[in-house]
Amino acid sequence: TSVQLSELLWRLLEEGGSRLSCVIGGADGLPDELRPGAARKGGPTEMSHFSLGKITLTHQMARLILVEQIYRATQIRAGTQYHK
């Protein structure tokens, strides 16, 4: 849900020192080395992830939807009525 995504994003921002990176996968998803649970040299051993859905989107549409979802998460955190 949007509320769950908001909670996830804010938790990650708090844990990451206000830094958050988002990766948009290709039509076949993310490569194995970027999937949750993959060990990364010099980085965290676990990554959080979420899906924009099971449909295939162009990268342009995925970016647009991701930006809107991040904005929605900030509005949920701020307590506005944007998400309703």
Side-chain angles (χ1 to χ4, degrees):
T1 67
S2 294
V3 173
Q4 290 171 321
L5 178 59
S6 178
E7 292 168 356
L8 172 65
L9 290 178
W10 289 103
R11 181 179 58 81
L12 293 172
L13 284 168
E14 289 170 355
E15 291 174 359
S18 298
R19 293 185 179 170
L20 179 68
S21 296
C22 295
V23 177
I24 298 172
D28 295 324
L30 295 172
D32 289 340
E33 52 273 359
L34 292 179
R35 291 185 184 274
R40 277 164 289 290
K41 186 177 180 179
T45 58
E46 189 174 330
M47 293 173 53
S48 294
H49 73 286
F50 63 93
S51 172
L52 296 176
K54 294 186 181 254
I55 61 172
T56 302
L57 300 167
T58 64
H59 273 75
Q60 292 86 352
M61 288 300 295
R63 285 192 295 259
L64 175 65
I65 293 168
L66 178 60
V67 167
E68 192 279 333
Q69 289 300 300
I70 292 170
Y71 177 76
R72 182 179 297 267
T74 64
Q75 295 306 295
I76 290 170
R77 178 74 172 200
T80 70
Q81 295 300 309
Y82 174 81
H83 73 289
K84 293 189 177 187

